[in-house]
Protein backbone atom coordinates (compact mmCIF):
# COMPACT_ATOMS: atom_id res chain seq x y z
CA UNK A 1 0.00 0.00 0.00
CA UNK A 2 1.38 3.42 -0.95
CA UNK A 3 1.91 6.15 1.61
CA UNK A 4 -1.31 8.05 2.32
CA UNK A 5 -1.40 11.58 0.90
CA UNK A 6 -2.91 14.31 3.04
CA UNK A 7 -3.97 17.80 2.03
CA UNK A 8 -4.37 20.57 4.60
CA UNK A 9 -6.33 23.49 3.14
CA UNK A 10 -6.55 26.91 4.74
CA UNK A 11 -7.00 30.49 3.58
CA UNK A 12 -3.58 31.33 5.01
CA UNK A 13 -1.08 30.36 7.67
CA UNK A 14 -1.54 33.14 10.18
CA UNK A 15 -1.11 33.75 13.89
CA UNK A 16 -4.58 32.47 14.82
CA UNK A 17 -5.27 29.42 16.94
CA UNK A 18 -6.73 27.36 14.08
CA UNK A 19 -3.66 27.98 11.91
CA UNK A 20 -1.33 27.06 14.77
CA UNK A 21 -3.06 23.76 15.47
CA UNK A 22 -3.47 22.92 11.79
CA UNK A 23 0.25 23.42 11.15
CA UNK A 24 1.06 21.40 14.27
CA UNK A 25 -1.10 18.48 13.07
CA UNK A 26 0.40 18.67 9.57
CA UNK A 27 3.89 18.59 11.08
CA UNK A 28 3.23 15.51 13.22
CA UNK A 29 1.77 13.75 10.16
CA UNK A 30 4.87 14.57 8.13
CA UNK A 31 7.02 13.29 10.98
CA UNK A 32 4.98 10.08 11.01
CA UNK A 33 5.84 9.51 7.35
CA UNK A 34 2.66 10.65 5.60
CA UNK A 35 2.95 12.47 2.28
CA UNK A 36 1.67 15.89 3.38
CA UNK A 37 0.57 18.85 1.25
CA UNK A 38 -0.44 22.28 2.57
CA UNK A 39 -2.37 24.59 0.27
CA UNK A 40 -3.32 28.22 0.93
CA UNK A 41 -5.41 30.38 -1.38
CA UNK A 42 -5.83 33.91 0.07
CA UNK A 43 -2.63 35.03 1.79
CA UNK A 44 0.81 33.71 0.82
CA UNK A 45 2.65 34.81 3.97
CA UNK A 46 3.47 31.91 6.33
CA UNK A 47 3.52 32.92 9.98
CA UNK A 48 3.99 29.40 11.35
CA UNK A 49 6.86 27.02 10.67
CA UNK A 50 6.05 24.03 8.46
CA UNK A 51 8.08 20.84 8.53
CA UNK A 52 10.50 20.86 5.59
CA UNK A 53 9.03 17.58 4.36
CA UNK A 54 5.63 19.22 3.77
CA UNK A 55 4.92 20.27 0.18
CA UNK A 56 3.54 23.79 0.65
CA UNK A 57 1.84 25.65 -2.19
CA UNK A 58 0.02 28.94 -2.50
CA UNK A 59 -2.45 29.64 -5.30
CA UNK A 60 -3.84 33.18 -5.23
CA UNK A 61 -7.53 32.49 -5.80
CA UNK A 62 -9.14 35.02 -3.47
CA UNK A 63 -8.24 38.19 -1.62
CA UNK A 64 -8.31 38.44 2.18
CA UNK A 65 -12.03 39.25 2.17
CA UNK A 66 -12.83 36.14 0.12
CA UNK A 67 -13.38 37.90 -3.18
CA UNK A 68 -11.73 36.66 -6.36
CA UNK A 69 -12.88 35.18 -9.63
CA UNK A 70 -15.79 33.51 -7.86
CA UNK A 71 -16.42 30.58 -5.54
CA UNK A 72 -16.69 28.08 -8.38
CA UNK A 73 -13.31 29.07 -9.79
CA UNK A 74 -11.76 28.42 -6.36
CA UNK A 75 -13.56 25.08 -6.10
CA UNK A 76 -12.42 24.00 -9.59
CA UNK A 77 -8.80 24.85 -8.81
CA UNK A 78 -8.86 22.98 -5.50
CA UNK A 79 -10.53 19.99 -7.17
CA UNK A 80 -7.86 19.95 -9.89
CA UNK A 81 -5.14 20.12 -7.21
CA UNK A 82 -6.66 17.16 -5.33
CA UNK A 83 -6.90 15.08 -8.50
CA UNK A 84 -3.39 15.98 -9.72
CA UNK A 85 -1.73 15.26 -6.37
CA UNK A 86 -3.84 12.11 -5.83
CA UNK A 87 -4.90 13.23 -2.37
CA UNK A 88 -6.41 10.55 -0.12
CA UNK A 89 -7.63 12.73 2.77
CA UNK A 90 -8.34 16.47 2.69
CA UNK A 91 -8.40 18.35 5.99
CA UNK A 92 -10.29 21.58 6.73
CA UNK A 93 -10.38 23.42 10.06
CA UNK A 94 -12.43 26.52 9.23
CA UNK A 95 -15.71 27.02 7.39
CA UNK A 96 -14.38 28.80 4.24
CA UNK A 97 -12.07 25.89 3.46
CA UNK A 98 -14.57 23.25 4.56
CA UNK A 99 -17.20 24.64 2.21
CA UNK A 100 -14.75 24.66 -0.71
CA UNK A 101 -13.48 21.16 0.04
CA UNK A 102 -17.02 19.75 0.29
CA UNK A 103 -17.83 21.06 -3.16
CA UNK A 104 -14.44 20.22 -4.68
CA UNK A 105 -14.57 16.58 -3.58
CA UNK A 106 -18.04 15.73 -4.93
CA UNK A 107 -17.70 12.46 -6.84
CA UNK A 108 -14.05 11.93 -5.83
CA UNK A 109 -12.65 9.13 -3.70
CA UNK A 110 -10.83 11.66 -1.51
CA UNK A 111 -12.03 11.51 2.10
CA UNK A 112 -12.87 14.64 4.07
CA UNK A 113 -11.78 15.31 7.66
CA UNK A 114 -13.27 18.42 9.21
CA UNK A 115 -12.54 19.91 12.61
CA UNK A 116 -14.89 22.32 14.39
CA UNK A 117 -12.67 24.90 16.10
CA UNK A 118 -15.22 27.40 17.39
CA UNK A 119 -18.63 27.42 19.01
CA UNK A 120 -21.36 26.08 16.69
CA UNK A 121 -24.06 27.44 19.02
CA UNK A 122 -23.23 31.04 18.12
CA UNK A 123 -26.01 32.56 15.98
CA UNK A 124 -24.76 35.14 13.45
CA UNK A 125 -26.40 38.52 12.89
CA UNK A 126 -28.31 39.24 9.69
CA UNK A 127 -30.15 37.10 7.16
CA UNK A 128 -27.16 36.79 4.81
CA UNK A 129 -24.89 35.45 7.56
CA UNK A 130 -27.59 33.03 8.72
CA UNK A 131 -27.93 31.66 5.20
CA UNK A 132 -24.14 31.27 4.95
CA UNK A 133 -24.11 29.46 8.30
CA UNK A 134 -26.88 27.12 7.11
CA UNK A 135 -25.01 26.26 3.89
CA UNK A 136 -21.75 25.76 5.78
CA UNK A 137 -23.52 23.49 8.26
CA UNK A 138 -25.02 21.29 5.54
CA UNK A 139 -21.70 20.93 3.72
CA UNK A 140 -19.76 20.40 6.97
CA UNK A 141 -21.95 17.39 7.73
CA UNK A 142 -20.89 15.71 4.45
CA UNK A 143 -17.39 14.86 5.73
CA UNK A 144 -16.17 11.33 6.43
CA UNK A 145 -14.72 12.12 9.86
CA UNK A 146 -14.96 14.94 12.39
CA UNK A 147 -12.87 16.32 15.23
CA UNK A 148 -14.45 18.35 18.02
CA UNK A 149 -12.77 19.95 20.99
CA UNK A 150 -15.62 19.32 23.43
CA UNK A 151 -18.53 16.87 23.69
CA UNK A 152 -20.96 19.82 23.84
CA UNK A 153 -19.74 21.06 20.45
CA UNK A 154 -20.24 17.57 18.99
CA UNK A 155 -23.74 17.36 20.46
CA UNK A 156 -24.81 20.34 18.36
CA UNK A 157 -24.68 18.10 15.29
CA UNK A 158 -26.93 15.19 14.25
CA UNK A 159 -26.23 11.61 15.24
CA UNK A 160 -24.85 10.84 11.77
CA UNK A 161 -22.03 13.31 12.47
CA UNK A 162 -21.46 12.31 16.09
CA UNK A 163 -21.05 8.66 15.07
CA UNK A 164 -18.09 9.66 12.89
CA UNK A 165 -16.50 12.05 15.37
CA UNK A 166 -13.75 12.07 17.98
CA UNK A 167 -13.00 14.57 20.75
CA UNK A 168 -9.45 15.89 20.55
CA UNK A 169 -8.48 18.90 22.63
CA UNK A 170 -5.73 21.34 21.78
CA UNK A 171 -2.29 20.34 23.02
CA UNK A 172 -0.84 22.43 25.79
CA UNK A 173 2.33 24.42 25.31
CA UNK A 174 3.37 24.89 28.95
CA UNK A 175 4.73 28.26 29.94
CA UNK A 176 8.21 28.26 31.45
CA UNK A 177 8.50 29.89 34.84
CA UNK A 178 11.46 32.24 35.33
CA UNK A 179 10.77 33.10 38.98
CA UNK A 180 9.53 30.77 41.70
CA UNK A 181 6.01 31.49 42.87
CA UNK A 182 6.51 30.92 46.59
CA UNK A 183 7.39 34.19 48.26
CA UNK A 184 6.92 36.21 45.06
CA UNK A 185 3.14 36.38 44.64
CA UNK A 186 1.96 39.82 43.58
CA UNK A 187 -1.34 41.59 44.20
CA UNK A 188 -2.23 41.40 40.50
CA UNK A 189 -5.36 40.00 38.90
CA UNK A 190 -4.52 39.33 35.25
CA UNK A 191 -6.29 38.56 32.01
CA UNK A 192 -4.54 37.81 28.71
CA UNK A 193 -6.81 38.19 25.66
CA UNK A 194 -7.53 40.60 22.86
CA UNK A 195 -9.79 43.42 24.05
CA UNK A 196 -13.13 42.21 22.74
CA UNK A 197 -16.48 42.83 24.41
CA UNK A 198 -18.38 40.36 22.20
CA UNK A 199 -16.34 37.24 22.96
CA UNK A 200 -13.66 37.92 25.57
CA UNK A 201 -15.96 40.10 27.74
CA UNK A 202 -13.42 42.19 29.60
CA UNK A 203 -16.39 44.49 30.28
CA UNK A 204 -17.71 41.88 32.73
CA UNK A 205 -14.30 41.54 34.35
CA UNK A 206 -13.90 45.31 34.76
CA UNK A 207 -17.36 45.63 36.31
CA UNK A 208 -16.64 42.74 38.69
CA UNK A 209 -13.32 44.24 39.76
CA UNK A 210 -14.94 47.64 40.28
CA UNK A 211 -17.34 46.03 42.76
CA UNK A 212 -14.57 44.81 45.06
CA UNK A 213 -11.69 47.16 44.30
CA UNK A 214 -12.38 49.56 47.17
CA UNK A 215 -12.39 46.66 49.68
CA UNK A 216 -8.97 45.46 48.50
CA UNK A 217 -7.14 48.63 47.37
CA UNK A 218 -3.77 46.90 47.20
CA UNK A 219 -4.93 44.73 44.26
CA UNK A 220 -4.65 45.78 40.61
CA UNK A 221 -6.38 44.46 37.49
CA UNK A 222 -3.98 44.11 34.57
CA UNK A 223 -5.43 43.52 31.10
CA UNK A 224 -2.95 42.21 28.52
CA UNK A 225 -3.91 42.47 24.86
CA UNK A 226 -4.65 44.95 22.08
CA UNK A 227 -8.09 46.11 21.03
CA UNK A 228 -10.13 43.88 18.72
CA UNK A 229 -11.52 47.19 17.49
CA UNK A 230 -10.96 50.79 18.53
CA UNK A 231 -14.61 50.93 19.59
CA UNK A 232 -14.21 47.94 21.94
CA UNK A 233 -11.05 49.33 23.48
CA UNK A 234 -12.64 52.76 24.01
CA UNK A 235 -15.69 51.16 25.62
CA UNK A 236 -13.52 49.19 28.03
CA UNK A 237 -11.42 52.23 28.91
CA UNK A 238 -14.58 54.18 29.70
CA UNK A 239 -15.76 51.39 32.01
CA UNK A 240 -12.40 51.51 33.78
CA UNK A 241 -12.34 55.31 33.95
CA UNK A 242 -12.06 56.51 37.51
CA UNK A 243 -10.45 53.33 38.79
CA UNK A 244 -6.71 53.91 38.93
CA UNK A 245 -6.20 50.26 39.86
CA UNK A 246 -7.00 49.05 36.32
CA UNK A 247 -4.09 48.90 33.89
CA UNK A 248 -4.27 48.35 30.12
CA UNK A 249 -0.94 46.66 29.49
CA UNK A 250 -1.10 46.15 25.72
CA UNK A 251 0.30 43.07 24.03
CA UNK A 252 3.11 41.13 25.65
CA UNK A 253 5.56 38.67 24.14
CA UNK A 254 6.42 37.39 27.61
CA UNK A 255 3.15 35.91 28.83
CA UNK A 256 4.91 33.78 31.45
CA UNK A 257 6.68 36.80 32.89
CA UNK A 258 3.43 38.77 32.96
CA UNK A 259 1.29 36.23 34.78
CA UNK A 260 3.52 33.70 36.56
CA UNK A 261 3.21 35.23 40.03
CA UNK A 262 -0.18 36.94 39.74
CA UNK A 263 -2.61 36.33 42.58
CA UNK A 264 -5.36 35.30 40.15
CA UNK A 265 -5.73 34.83 36.38
CA UNK A 266 -9.17 35.25 34.80
CA UNK A 267 -10.87 34.08 31.60
CA UNK A 268 -14.12 36.03 31.19
CA UNK A 269 -15.21 34.85 27.71
CA UNK A 270 -18.76 34.02 26.61
CA UNK A 271 -17.52 31.43 24.12
CA UNK A 272 -14.26 29.64 23.30
CA UNK A 273 -13.11 26.34 21.86
CA UNK A 274 -10.56 24.97 24.28
CA UNK A 275 -9.34 28.20 25.92
CA UNK A 276 -5.60 28.36 25.23
CA UNK A 277 -5.16 31.24 27.67
CA UNK A 278 -6.74 29.17 30.43
CA UNK A 279 -4.46 26.23 29.62
CA UNK A 280 -1.47 28.56 29.88
CA UNK A 281 -2.63 29.92 33.24
CA UNK A 282 -3.07 26.41 34.57
CA UNK A 283 0.18 25.10 33.13
CA UNK A 284 2.19 27.50 35.27
CA UNK A 285 0.18 27.03 38.46
CA UNK A 286 -1.61 30.39 38.71
CA UNK A 287 -4.98 30.19 40.54
CA UNK A 288 -7.66 30.50 37.84
CA UNK A 289 -11.21 31.76 37.50
CA UNK A 290 -13.13 31.09 34.31
CA UNK A 291 -16.61 31.65 33.02
CA UNK A 292 -18.43 28.49 31.96
CA UNK A 293 -18.12 29.56 28.34
CA UNK A 294 -19.81 27.75 25.46
CA UNK A 295 -19.33 25.06 24.22
CA UNK A 296 -17.91 23.61 27.44
CA UNK A 297 -14.15 23.89 27.06
CA UNK A 298 -13.55 25.61 30.40
CA UNK A 299 -15.82 23.12 32.18
CA UNK A 300 -13.68 20.31 30.76
CA UNK A 301 -10.56 21.88 32.26
CA UNK A 302 -11.81 23.19 35.61
CA UNK A 303 -13.32 21.19 38.44
CA UNK A 304 -14.80 23.87 40.67
CA UNK A 305 -12.83 24.55 43.87
CA UNK A 306 -10.40 21.74 43.01
CA UNK A 307 -8.22 23.27 40.31
CA UNK A 308 -9.96 26.62 39.84
CA UNK A 309 -13.29 28.42 40.07
CA UNK A 310 -16.02 28.26 37.44
CA UNK A 311 -18.72 30.94 37.23
CA UNK A 312 -21.67 31.57 34.93
CA UNK A 313 -20.80 33.54 31.82
CA UNK A 314 -21.87 37.17 31.81
CA UNK A 315 -22.53 37.18 35.56
CA UNK A 316 -20.78 40.17 37.16
CA UNK A 317 -21.75 39.28 40.74
CA UNK A 318 -20.51 35.67 40.53
CA UNK A 319 -17.22 36.79 38.99
CA UNK A 320 -16.72 39.45 41.67
CA UNK A 321 -17.47 36.89 44.39
CA UNK A 322 -14.99 34.45 42.85
CA UNK A 323 -12.22 37.06 42.74
CA UNK A 324 -12.94 37.98 46.36
CA UNK A 325 -12.87 34.30 47.34
CA UNK A 326 -9.42 33.85 45.81
CA UNK A 327 -8.18 37.00 47.57
CA UNK A 328 -9.54 35.99 51.00
CA UNK A 329 -8.58 32.31 50.76
CA UNK A 330 -4.96 32.46 49.57
CA UNK A 331 -3.97 28.98 50.77
CA UNK A 332 -6.91 27.35 49.00
CA UNK A 333 -6.19 29.43 45.91
CA UNK A 334 -2.58 28.28 45.81
CA UNK A 335 -3.63 24.64 46.21
CA UNK A 336 -6.03 25.06 43.28
CA UNK A 337 -3.14 26.50 41.29
CA UNK A 338 -0.92 23.55 42.09
CA UNK A 339 -3.71 21.10 41.19
CA UNK A 340 -4.27 22.84 37.87
CA UNK A 341 -0.77 21.95 36.67
CA UNK A 342 -1.99 18.40 35.96
CA UNK A 343 -3.15 19.72 32.59
CA UNK A 344 0.50 19.50 31.52
CA UNK A 345 0.16 15.71 31.54
CA UNK A 346 -3.46 15.35 30.42
CA UNK A 347 -3.07 17.61 27.37
CA UNK A 348 0.59 17.11 26.52
CA UNK A 349 1.66 17.24 22.87
CA UNK A 350 2.53 13.54 23.02
CA UNK A 351 -0.95 12.53 24.22
CA UNK A 352 -2.82 14.76 21.75
CA UNK A 353 -0.56 13.87 18.82
CA UNK A 354 -1.28 10.18 19.34
CA UNK A 355 -5.03 10.82 19.13
CA UNK A 356 -4.63 12.61 15.80
CA UNK A 357 -2.39 9.88 14.39
CA UNK A 358 -4.86 7.17 15.44
CA UNK A 359 -7.58 9.05 13.59
CA UNK A 360 -5.56 9.25 10.36
CA UNK A 361 -4.71 5.56 10.62
CA UNK A 362 -8.44 4.76 10.86
CA UNK A 363 -9.02 6.65 7.60
CA UNK A 364 -6.31 4.65 5.80
CA UNK A 365 -8.59 1.69 5.14
Amino acid sequence: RRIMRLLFLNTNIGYGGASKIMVWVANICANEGYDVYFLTYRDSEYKQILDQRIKANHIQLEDKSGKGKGLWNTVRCIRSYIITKKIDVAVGFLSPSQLRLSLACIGLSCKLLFSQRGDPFQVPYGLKNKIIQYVNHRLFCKADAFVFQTPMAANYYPKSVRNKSVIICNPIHPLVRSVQREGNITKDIVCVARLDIVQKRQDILIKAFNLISSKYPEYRLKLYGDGFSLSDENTLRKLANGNSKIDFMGQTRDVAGAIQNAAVAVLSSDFEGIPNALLEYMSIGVPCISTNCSPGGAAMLIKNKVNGLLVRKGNVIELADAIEYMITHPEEAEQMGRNSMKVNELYSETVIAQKWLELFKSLNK
Side-chain angles (χ1 to χ4, degrees), residues 8-13 38-44 46 57-64 66-68 71 74-75 77-78 94-101:
F8 290 79
L9 181 74
N10 209 31
T11 56
N12 67 339
I13 298 180
F38 207 117
L39 178 63
T40 56
Y41 57 94
R42 287 187 185 174
D43 185 350
S44 62
Y46 289 4
N57 298 104
H58 176 77
I59 304 174
Q60 192 67 42
L61 300 173
E62 302 172 0
D63 62 22
K64 292 182 180 181
K67 295 179 181 179
L71 173 64
T74 299
V75 169
C77 289
I78 293 171
L94 296 173
S95 56
S97 298
Q98 291 165 352
L99 181 150
R100 286 151 180 78
L101 281 174

Side-chain angles (χ1 to χ4, degrees), residues 40-55:
T40 56
Y41 57 94
R42 287 187 185 174
D43 185 350
S44 62
E45 186 177 1
Y46 289 4
K47 296 176 181 176
Q48 311 290 332
I49 299 175
L50 286 171
D51 188 293
Q52 292 183 348
R53 290 165 288 192
I54 294 175
K55 302 167 186 69

Side-chain angles (χ1 to χ4, degrees), residues 129-146:
N129 289 331
K130 289 180 180 179
I131 292 172
I132 291 172
Q133 185 190 52
Y134 174 78
V135 172
N136 284 335
H137 172 81
R138 294 295 299 269
L139 291 174
F140 177 87
C141 294
K142 299 296 183 182
D144 300 281
F146 303 89

Side-chain angles (χ1 to χ4, degrees), residues 172-327:
I172 191 169
H173 303 285
L175 298 181
V176 178
R177 179 175 289 281
S178 60
V179 179
Q180 290 301 310
R181 185 165 176 83
E182 188 175 354
N184 294 300
I185 301 171
T186 67
K187 303 289 187 180
D188 295 335
I189 297 159
V190 299
C191 174
V192 181
R194 69 176 181 272
L195 302 180
D196 175 3
I197 59 176
V198 173
Q199 180 183 0
K200 303 299 182 179
R201 298 305 308 272
Q202 286 94 344
D203 57 319
I204 298 299
L205 177 53
I206 290 171
K207 290 175 183 177
F209 182 75
N210 281 340
L211 288 178
I212 65 165
S213 181
S214 60
K215 290 178 66 176
Y216 308 98
E218 68 275 25
Y219 282 83
R220 304 191 71 87
L221 173 61
K222 294 187 174 181
L223 303 173
Y224 290 90
D226 284 345
F228 180 64
S229 71
L230 186 59
S231 174
D232 280 7
E233 185 167 348
N234 287 339
T235 299
L236 293 172
R237 288 184 180 275
K238 286 179 182 178
L239 282 174
N241 188 33
N243 192 337
S244 61
K245 303 295 183 179
I246 299 177
D247 302 315
F248 289 82
M249 307 298 292
Q251 279 191 334
T252 177
R253 293 180 179 273
D254 182 16
V255 176
I259 73 168
Q260 61 188 345
N261 289 327
V264 185
V266 181
L267 180 87
S268 52
S269 299
D270 272 1
F271 58 95
E272 295 278 352
I274 290 292
N276 288 325
L278 183 58
L279 280 171
E280 289 181 339
Y281 300 160
M282 299 175 79
S283 77
I284 207 166
V286 180
C288 297
I289 300 169
S290 178
T291 49
N292 190 4
C293 45
S294 180
M300 282 180 61
L301 298 175
I302 291 183
K303 186 175 181 181
N304 199 39
K305 289 195 175 181
V306 175
N307 62 351
L309 296 181
L310 203 61
V311 301
R312 286 181 293 175
K313 64 182 181 181
N315 193 304
V316 174
I317 302 300
E318 281 193 17
L319 183 53
D321 288 346
I323 294 171
E324 185 170 21
Y325 185 90
M326 289 294 202
I327 290 173

